[in-house]
Amino acid sequence: MTFILDEPRAIALCVVGACWLGFATILVVGKRGASKAQTRRDAKSHLGFFLQGVAYAICFGFPRARFFPFAIGSKAAEEGVAALAAATAIASVWFCYAAARALGKQWALVARVVEGHELITEGPYGIVRNPIYLAMFGMLVSTGLAVSRWQALAGAIILFFVGTEIRIRSEERLLREAFGAKFEEYARRVPAVFPRMF
């Protein structure tokens, strides 16, 4: 299979690829600075993490001979999709970085509560309760727009949401146990993954 590239597509693909490097760097560096002194952990979040990973694999595993299958036929539309893919990837990496920085030593790949855990409600956590999952979703969409078939992206999104729901339930159960009414008030005020538009 050969990929056909023109300038907007090539630029978008390079931006999405660079953003994946940035995203991976945030995860690796964040894990190094994370606290080792956990008090509670929920292993169920591993299943959600696995399903999210499979969703990414679906996007990468079903490439098209042409990029941006959603806009084939119109150069202006393809340029728009290229710009959307690149902008979504950049915004996602920035949001992930801001969220990981806000968490500091509490950052983790799986659901856990560490010794001296604080409920973070500022920065990205004032917009959504799970900003890293929003950033991960953005990376999934930008990757799908850049390299995948639309059918694969649609299936990947469904699988990603199932995995994300498992992880959110697992993590928020721990936070409810740790913070009680304080977390309940936060959950009423701030949406789980997608920001409110009004």
PDB file of all heavy atoms in Angstrom, residues 71-84:
ATOM      1  N   ALA A  71     -12.644  13.716   3.621  1.00  0.00           N
ATOM      2  CA  ALA A  71     -12.713  14.917   2.802  1.00  0.00           C
ATOM      3  C   ALA A  71     -12.310  14.693   1.355  1.00  0.00           C
ATOM      4  O   ALA A  71     -12.085  15.634   0.640  1.00  0.00           O
ATOM      5  CB  ALA A  71     -11.810  15.981   3.433  1.00  0.00           C
ATOM      6  N   ILE A  72     -12.208  13.440   0.931  1.00  0.00           N
ATOM      7  CA  ILE A  72     -11.767  13.160  -0.434  1.00  0.00           C
ATOM      8  C   ILE A  72     -12.719  13.821  -1.420  1.00  0.00           C
ATOM      9  O   ILE A  72     -13.924  13.756  -1.276  1.00  0.00           O
ATOM     10  CB  ILE A  72     -11.676  11.638  -0.667  1.00  0.00           C
ATOM     11  CG1 ILE A  72     -10.503  11.087   0.133  1.00  0.00           C
ATOM     12  CG2 ILE A  72     -11.538  11.304  -2.137  1.00  0.00           C
ATOM     13  CD1 ILE A  72     -10.384   9.605   0.116  1.00  0.00           C
ATOM     14  N   GLY A  73     -12.151  14.438  -2.446  1.00  0.00           N
ATOM     15  CA  GLY A  73     -12.960  15.061  -3.475  1.00  0.00           C
ATOM     16  C   GLY A  73     -12.889  16.576  -3.463  1.00  0.00           C
ATOM     17  O   GLY A  73     -13.117  17.216  -4.460  1.00  0.00           O
ATOM     18  N   SER A  74     -12.558  17.163  -2.355  1.00  0.00           N
ATOM     19  CA  SER A  74     -12.463  18.614  -2.257  1.00  0.00           C
ATOM     20  C   SER A  74     -11.143  18.984  -1.592  1.00  0.00           C
ATOM     21  O   SER A  74     -10.906  18.633  -0.442  1.00  0.00           O
ATOM     22  CB  SER A  74     -13.641  19.151  -1.438  1.00  0.00           C
ATOM     23  OG  SER A  74     -13.383  20.476  -1.030  1.00  0.00           O
ATOM     24  N   LYS A  75     -10.308  19.697  -2.319  1.00  0.00           N
ATOM     25  CA  LYS A  75      -9.012  20.101  -1.761  1.00  0.00           C
ATOM     26  C   LYS A  75      -9.202  20.992  -0.535  1.00  0.00           C
ATOM     27  O   LYS A  75      -8.501  20.834   0.466  1.00  0.00           O
ATOM     28  CB  LYS A  75      -8.183  20.813  -2.822  1.00  0.00           C
ATOM     29  CG  LYS A  75      -6.806  21.215  -2.315  1.00  0.00           C
ATOM     30  CD  LYS A  75      -5.789  21.117  -3.403  1.00  0.00           C
ATOM     31  CE  LYS A  75      -4.430  21.571  -2.966  1.00  0.00           C
ATOM     32  NZ  LYS A  75      -3.750  20.685  -2.063  1.00  0.00           N
ATOM     33  N   ALA A  76     -10.155  21.921  -0.596  1.00  0.00           N
ATOM     34  CA  ALA A  76     -10.400  22.812   0.541  1.00  0.00           C
ATOM     35  C   ALA A  76     -10.850  22.021   1.771  1.00  0.00           C
ATOM     36  O   ALA A  76     -10.414  22.295   2.896  1.00  0.00           O
ATOM     37  CB  ALA A  76     -11.439  23.867   0.179  1.00  0.00           C
ATOM     38  N   ALA A  77     -11.707  21.019   1.552  1.00  0.00           N
ATOM     39  CA  ALA A  77     -12.167  20.200   2.676  1.00  0.00           C
ATOM     40  C   ALA A  77     -11.019  19.381   3.247  1.00  0.00           C
ATOM     41  O   ALA A  77     -10.888  19.244   4.467  1.00  0.00           O
ATOM     42  CB  ALA A  77     -13.306  19.287   2.229  1.00  0.00           C
ATOM     43  N   GLU A  78     -10.165  18.829   2.369  1.00  0.00           N
ATOM     44  CA  GLU A  78      -9.014  18.060   2.850  1.00  0.00           C
ATOM     45  C   GLU A  78      -8.059  18.950   3.648  1.00  0.00           C
ATOM     46  O   GLU A  78      -7.510  18.523   4.662  1.00  0.00           O
ATOM     47  CB  GLU A  78      -8.291  17.387   1.692  1.00  0.00           C
ATOM     48  CG  GLU A  78      -9.063  16.208   1.146  1.00  0.00           C
ATOM     49  CD  GLU A  78      -8.293  15.402   0.123  1.00  0.00           C
ATOM     50  OE1 GLU A  78      -7.093  15.668  -0.099  1.00  0.00           O
ATOM     51  OE2 GLU A  78      -8.897  14.486  -0.454  1.00  0.00           O
ATOM     52  N   GLU A  79      -7.870  20.175   3.193  1.00  0.00           N
ATOM     53  CA  GLU A  79      -7.027  21.116   3.943  1.00  0.00           C
ATOM     54  C   GLU A  79      -7.655  21.438   5.292  1.00  0.00           C
ATOM     55  O   GLU A  79      -6.954  21.546   6.300  1.00  0.00           O
ATOM     56  CB  GLU A  79      -6.796  22.387   3.129  1.00  0.00           C
ATOM     57  CG  GLU A  79      -5.875  22.170   1.950  1.00  0.00           C
ATOM     58  CD  GLU A  79      -5.796  23.371   1.017  1.00  0.00           C
ATOM     59  OE1 GLU A  79      -6.554  24.357   1.213  1.00  0.00           O
ATOM     60  OE2 GLU A  79      -4.961  23.327   0.089  1.00  0.00           O
ATOM     61  N   GLY A  80      -8.977  21.554   5.332  1.00  0.00           N
ATOM     62  CA  GLY A  80      -9.675  21.802   6.592  1.00  0.00           C
ATOM     63  C   GLY A  80      -9.524  20.647   7.564  1.00  0.00           C
ATOM     64  O   GLY A  80      -9.286  20.849   8.761  1.00  0.00           O
ATOM     65  N   VAL A  81      -9.649  19.420   7.061  1.00  0.00           N
ATOM     66  CA  VAL A  81      -9.485  18.243   7.909  1.00  0.00           C
ATOM     67  C   VAL A  81      -8.034  18.141   8.385  1.00  0.00           C
ATOM     68  O   VAL A  81      -7.779  17.798   9.544  1.00  0.00           O
ATOM     69  CB  VAL A  81      -9.941  16.959   7.179  1.00  0.00           C
ATOM     70  CG1 VAL A  81      -9.595  15.721   7.989  1.00  0.00           C
ATOM     71  CG2 VAL A  81     -11.434  17.011   6.919  1.00  0.00           C
ATOM     72  N   ALA A  82      -7.092  18.466   7.511  1.00  0.00           N
ATOM     73  CA  ALA A  82      -5.674  18.453   7.900  1.00  0.00           C
ATOM     74  C   ALA A  82      -5.431  19.446   9.027  1.00  0.00           C
ATOM     75  O   ALA A  82      -4.763  19.135  10.024  1.00  0.00           O
ATOM     76  CB  ALA A  82      -4.794  18.785   6.697  1.00  0.00           C
ATOM     77  N   ALA A  83      -5.985  20.645   8.890  1.00  0.00           N
ATOM     78  CA  ALA A  83      -5.824  21.665   9.933  1.00  0.00           C
ATOM     79  C   ALA A  83      -6.496  21.227  11.231  1.00  0.00           C
ATOM     80  O   ALA A  83      -5.945  21.421  12.324  1.00  0.00           O
ATOM     81  CB  ALA A  83      -6.402  23.003   9.457  1.00  0.00           C
ATOM     82  N   LEU A  84      -7.682  20.620  11.132  1.00  0.00           N
ATOM     83  CA  LEU A  84      -8.393  20.138  12.321  1.00  0.00           C
ATOM     84  C   LEU A  84      -7.594  19.046  13.028  1.00  0.00           C
ATOM     85  O   LEU A  84      -7.466  19.056  14.260  1.00  0.00           O
ATOM     86  CB  LEU A  84      -9.777  19.616  11.927  1.00  0.00           C
ATOM     87  CG  LEU A  84     -10.620  19.029  13.057  1.00  0.00           C
ATOM     88  CD1 LEU A  84     -10.946  20.098  14.097  1.00  0.00           C
ATOM     89  CD2 LEU A  84     -11.895  18.411  12.493  1.00  0.00           C
TER      90      LEU A  84
END
